[in-house]
Amino acid sequence: MLDRLTPSGVAVPAFLITWSLVVILPLLVIVLFSFLQVKSYRVVYVPTLGTWESVIDSGRWIVAVRTLRIAITMTLIELLLAFPFALWLAKGCKSKPAKAIIITLLTIPFFLDTSSRIIVWRSILGTNGIVNTVLTSLGIVDEPISWLLYSEFAVHFGMLGSYFPTMVFPIFMIMSLIDDDYLQASSDLGASPGQTLLYVILPMSLPGVVAGVVFTLVPLMAAFVEPQMLGGGFVNLLGNSVNSALQELKYPTAAALSTIVVALLGVCLAALILITRKRFDMSTMFQAIRR
Amino acid sequence: MTQGKFDPRLSRRNFVESALSLSALTAAAATLPAALPGMSQQAWAAGAPVKGYGVTTAQLKDWSIMTKSNSVTMDYTPTNADIGVFMRDVMSNDLGDTHDFFIFDGGTEDVLGPEGYYAPIVEDHPELTLWARTPDTWKRSDLIRADDTQWGVPVIGNGDAFGYFPEVIGANPNGQDEIPWTTFFEGEQVKGRVAIDRSWLQSMSETANFLKHHGRAEIEDPADLTQEEARAVADYLVERKQAGHFRTIFTAFEEQVQLLSNKEIDMINCWEPATRDANLALGPGTVIYAFTVEGYYKWGHGAYVATAAMDRDNVDNIYKVLNYFLGGEYRAYQAKERGYAGPNMDLGVEYATEHGWPQEDIDLLKYTGEKVERKFEKPFWGKTTPSNADVMEEEWQRFLNA
C-alpha cells in the first residue's frame, strides 16, 4: 500500500524547482542585496563591500554572536524543562480532561499578541513592580533589584513562556506515539526507570527532540519583541538590528544581517545533524516507533 | 508633468489603479444622482473627507471639533516619528495615492519636495485665509522650505529636552530652573535611572549639542554629524552606557509615559506630552519638562500636500484643513492637550477667551507661547534628513551594541 504512494518522476523535480523559486531564490537575492549600499534613503545599485564593512565597524557582528549565544542557551533551557514535562503529559497524566486543559493552555502564546503578553512583565519585574514591592516589604532585600528588568535575565525570562510550546509539542507528540508495551517490556526485562528513560524513551523520542530544537532555535534567532521590551535596549539581538536597519530603509544592511542569520542557522542545523546522526537520520526518523 | 514625456511614476500599477478608479467613479456618478437627489457636484465635493497621515502628536484628540468648525471631516492615520518608515510609506508605498496630506517633522521636503511627492503650497489659495498674517519666523522657516519653494504649512513646534522629578535633583518645583544636560548625562543623583531615546536623530544630536556647548568635542552642526563627530559622540555615549548611567533605551511614546508613571526612571529625554500624560496619573507638577542650559532639539512639524491630491476633488477642503492648522482653535487645543506651540498663538488665546475657557487654561496658552519663545532663543534646530544620516545611524548602532 505504502509503495504505491511513491511519487512520479515529474512530481519530485517539479516540487524541487518550485521550492527553489519560492525559498532559495529570495535568499540568493538577499545575499546579492547585501553587496549594495544606501545613500540618502536610496539604494545605490553599484556592487560594494561597504555594507559588510559597516556591519563589522558598527559592531553589528557582535549582535550575531550574542543572538546565537542567547538562542542556544534558551533552546537548552526549554529542552531541559520541556522534556520531563512532555514525558509526564504523554505517559504520566492519566486524566483526559486534565491533558486537554493543559494542551489548550500551551496554545495560549499562539493566540495572544507577543507584545501584549510581554509588556505585562514590565509592571511585574520593574523596580516598583510587584516582585520588588513584595521583596522589599518582606524585608528580603533592602532596595529594589534592578536587574529583574532591562537585563539579559529579563529577556531570558520573557522568552521562557513564548518558546516553551514549540519545544513541548513535538516531544509530547512523539512520546504519545511510543507504545506503552515497549516501556512494560523494558520493565519486565529488569530495567530501572532511569534505564528505560535512557535506553528506550530517549532514543525513540529523539525525532521529536530534534523537531523541538529546530522549531525553537529558528524563531529565537529572529526574536525581537522580548529583547526590545524587556532588554531595555541593552540586549540588542539580530531581530532588533534588522528591524532598526529596515526602519532607516537600509535594505542592504538588513540583507547582510539576514544572511548572517541564515548562515548561523545552517551551521547550527548541520551541527545538530552531525551530533544526532549516529542515533537516527532524518529520512528514517519515524521508523523507530513503528511496530 | 511635461506633456509628451514618459513619467516613470505612471507605472502599470498606477494605470490599473487609475482604470479601476475611473470605472468606480463612473459607476458612482451614475448612481449618485439617484441616491442623493438634489445634491450638486460642488456640494458633494464640499462634503468629501480629507485623509491625513502623520505623527501622532499633531492630531487633535477629537477631530469632530474641527468638523464643527469648518465642516470638513478628517480621516487621520497616525504614525510614529520614524523618518525611515515615513519615507518608505511616501516613496515606496505611494501613500499620496490614498492620502491628501502628510504631517511630519520639517526637513522631509528637502528630499520629497524636489522629487515630486509634495505639491508646492498655493499661498494665495482662497481657503488659506490666515497665511498672510502668519509670522515669517514660522512660515518661512527652513524646516518647511527647500530650494526657495514653500512645501509646507507650519503646524506645531517645540524645543525637546528631558523630563525630570525635581525632588530627585533638588531643583525648584516651579519648573523654571535651567537644568544642565550635564545632570542628564553625568548626574550622580540620577545615575542608573536615566532613560534615553532609541532615536539616533534625537539622542545623538542632543548629546552632540551638550558636548559642543562644553567644548568637549569639535562639532559643527549637532544635527548633522560627520563621521569623526559621530564617532566622538558615540564614544561618549558608550562610555556613559558602560558606566551604568542609563536605565533603559526606550522606543515609543507610550513607553515614555509608562516609565515616568511607574517612576522606573528619574530622567528621560522624552517628548513634552509624555510628561503631561504622566502627570495625569502622578498629579500636576510631579514631572517637569526641563528648561536647559545648553539648548534644545528644536523642531517644527509641517503639513505637506500630496502631489496626487491636487488632481482630486477635495483640494478646497485640504486647504481648509491647512488653514485650520494656522487658526486659534487648533492652536488652543494643541497647547492645552500637548503643550505645543505654533504660529499665531495670539489666535489661540483669543479663541480660548471667546469660548469661555477657564482663566487657568488661558494663562497656560499664554505661557506655552512664552515658553517656546524662551526655548527658541537657544541652539539647535534638529534635522530629519541629515546629509550624514548613514554614518550617524552606523555609529548609533555601535552605542546600542556596546
Side-chain angles (χ1 to χ4, degrees), chain B residues 48-323:
Chain B
V50 169
K51 289 192 78 173
Y53 174 93
V55 287
T56 309
T57 44
Q59 65 178 343
L60 286 181
K61 291 190 175 176
D62 178 8
W63 282 110
S64 69
I65 295 168
M66 183 192 80
T67 306
K68 282 180 197 159
S69 177
N70 64 6
S71 305
V72 179
T73 307
M74 174 68 83
D75 180 358
Y76 190 84
T77 308
T79 180
N80 64 19
D82 192 317
I83 178 66
V85 174
F86 180 75
M87 299 289 265
R88 181 197 63 204
D89 283 349
V90 176
M91 292 196 292
S92 306
N93 296 344
D94 296 327
L95 213 64
D97 290 348
T98 53
H99 289 73
D100 300 314
F101 75 93
F102 312 109
I103 299 182
F104 207 76
D105 272 316
T108 57
E109 74 288 338
D110 291 343
V111 176
L112 299 177
E115 292 206 18
Y117 294 97
Y118 292 164
I121 295 297
V122 183
E123 296 182 32
D124 57 354
H125 193 283
E127 296 294 348
L128 201 61
T129 56
L130 295 171
W131 185 253
R133 62 103 64 205
T134 300
D136 282 353
T137 48
W138 283 96
K139 71 182 179 190
R140 301 299 181 205
S141 161
D142 285 345
L143 288 175
I144 48 175
R145 289 171 64 83
D147 300 336
D148 288 329
T149 305
Q150 188 76 37
W151 296 107
V153 167
V155 177
I156 45 175
N158 199 6
D160 281 354
F162 51 84
Y164 65 96
F165 294 89
E167 71 277 9
V168 174
I169 58 170
N172 192 325
N174 70 9
Q176 296 305 305
D177 282 1
E178 285 193 345
I179 311 297
W181 278 92
T182 314
T183 309
F184 180 88
F185 287 113
E186 298 174 1
E188 281 300 316
Q189 316 96 305
V190 296
K191 186 175 180 182
R193 290 182 56 83
V194 173
I196 188 167
D197 197 332
R198 197 182 173 95
S199 158
W200 56 269
L201 267 176
Q202 182 137 354
S203 291
M204 278 198 100
S205 305
E206 286 170 347
T207 312
N209 186 59
F210 158 73
L211 293 173
K212 180 183 180 179
H213 179 92
H214 293 284
R216 292 165 64 172
E218 289 287 326
I219 287 166
E220 181 70 30
D221 181 358
D224 196 355
L225 303 172
T226 62
Q227 176 81 60
E228 294 72 28
E229 292 169 345
R231 183 166 288 273
V233 171
D235 283 344
Y236 174 75
L237 284 170
V238 167
E239 185 268 310
R240 296 317 300 152
K241 185 182 181 184
Q242 290 175 343
H245 195 72
F246 302 119
R247 173 77 175 124
T248 181
I249 304 165
F250 64 90
T251 53
F253 175 75
E254 292 73 17
E255 205 176 346
Q256 301 172 18
V257 179
Q258 190 190 34
L259 286 166
L260 286 167
S261 303
N262 291 350
K263 294 194 172 181
E264 186 70 36
I265 45 87
D266 289 332
M267 261 190 182
I268 175 171
N269 62 336
C270 59
W271 301 346
E272 185 159 2
T275 58
R276 287 174 175 263
D277 284 7
N279 281 337
L280 292 177
L282 299 171
T286 308
V287 186
I288 290 172
Y289 203 67
F291 286 110
T292 76
V293 174
E294 297 89 343
Y296 307 85
Y297 180 93
K298 296 188 290 187
W299 55 268
H301 283 169
Y304 306 92
V305 180
T307 302
M310 294 305 287
D311 296 328
R312 293 196 274 263
D313 285 339
N314 60 343
V315 175
D316 283 355
N317 282 356
I318 294 170
Y319 270 82
K320 278 184 188 173
V321 171
L322 296 184
N323 198 57

Side-chain angles (χ1 to χ4, degrees), chain A:
Chain A
M1 174 66 184
L2 285 173
D3 293 340
R4 288 167 60 193
L5 292 175
T6 305
S8 71
V10 178
V12 172
F15 173 77
L16 288 176
I17 290 169
T18 310
W19 179 254
S20 302
L21 286 174
V22 172
V23 178
I24 308 294
L25 197 61
L27 283 179
L28 286 175
V29 172
I30 285 175
V31 174
L32 291 176
F33 225 78
S34 69
F35 292 99
L36 302 177
Q37 246 183 335
V38 164
K39 292 283 180 196
S40 301
Y41 303 98
R42 295 274 190 200
V43 177
V44 181
Y45 289 91
V46 176
T48 172
L49 288 173
T51 297
W52 282 98
E53 285 168 3
S54 73
V55 163
I56 294 165
D57 289 345
S58 63
R60 275 179 154 130
W61 67 273
I62 297 171
V63 178
V65 176
R66 183 188 296 142
T67 305
L68 189 63
R69 175 171 55 80
I70 290 180
I72 290 174
T73 309
M74 277 312 300
T75 305
L76 288 174
I77 292 170
E78 299 287 14
L79 180 60
L80 288 174
L81 293 173
F83 192 87
F85 181 78
L87 180 60
W88 170 79
L89 193 61
K91 299 297 177 191
C93 181
K94 300 299 179 192
S95 164
K96 284 184 179 176
K99 195 178 280 192
I101 290 169
I102 290 167
I103 290 171
T104 307
L105 288 174
L106 282 171
T107 62
I108 285 177
F110 298 122
F111 293 128
L112 287 176
D113 170 59
T114 315
S115 306
S116 317
R117 209 158 25 82
I118 297 300
I119 202 167
V120 174
W121 287 113
R122 280 199 192 156
S123 52
I124 296 172
L125 301 174
T127 46
N128 295 310
I130 296 167
V131 174
N132 270 315
T133 305
V134 170
L135 290 175
T136 46
S137 59
L138 291 176
I140 297 171
V141 293
D142 294 331
E143 55 184 37
I145 304 169
S146 61
W147 53 261
L148 285 179
L149 187 62
Y150 303 136
S151 61
E152 269 203 22
F153 164 81
V155 174
H156 281 88
F157 186 79
M159 285 173 165
L160 268 182
S162 303
Y163 297 95
F164 189 64
T166 56
M167 184 65 86
V168 163
F169 275 122
I171 301 175
F172 162 70
M173 282 193 287
I174 203 80
M175 284 179 171
S176 299
L177 291 173
I178 297 173
D179 200 308
D180 288 348
D181 287 352
Y182 283 136
L183 311 183
Q184 188 60 49
S186 173
S187 177
D188 291 347
L189 290 168
S192 66
Q195 286 173 316
T196 301
L197 175 69
L198 194 62
Y199 297 113
V200 180
I201 296 173
L202 188 60
M204 295 180 90
S205 59
L206 213 48
V209 171
V210 172
V213 167
V214 170
F215 291 149
T216 307
L217 181 68
V218 173
L220 270 168
M221 290 295 290
F224 71 96
V225 175
E226 294 89 352
Q228 184 150 311
M229 302 192 105
L230 301 178
F234 297 107
V235 191
N236 212 28
L237 300 192
L238 271 172
N240 307 98
S241 210
V242 170
N243 194 37
S244 176
L246 288 175
Q247 282 179 339
E248 302 302 327
L249 305 189
K250 299 176 87 167
Y251 298 124
T253 305
L257 293 170
S258 302
T259 304
I260 294 173
V261 174
V262 173
L264 287 175
L265 280 173
V267 169
C268 289
L269 294 180
L272 191 66
I273 291 168
L274 282 174
I275 291 166
T276 56
R277 70 177 174 176
K278 285 184 181 173
R279 290 284 179 187
F280 81 107
D281 66 82
M282 292 285 185
S283 59
T284 58
M285 63 193 293
F286 288 99
Q287 281 186 359
I289 54 172
R290 279 172 62 185
R291 292 198 71 174

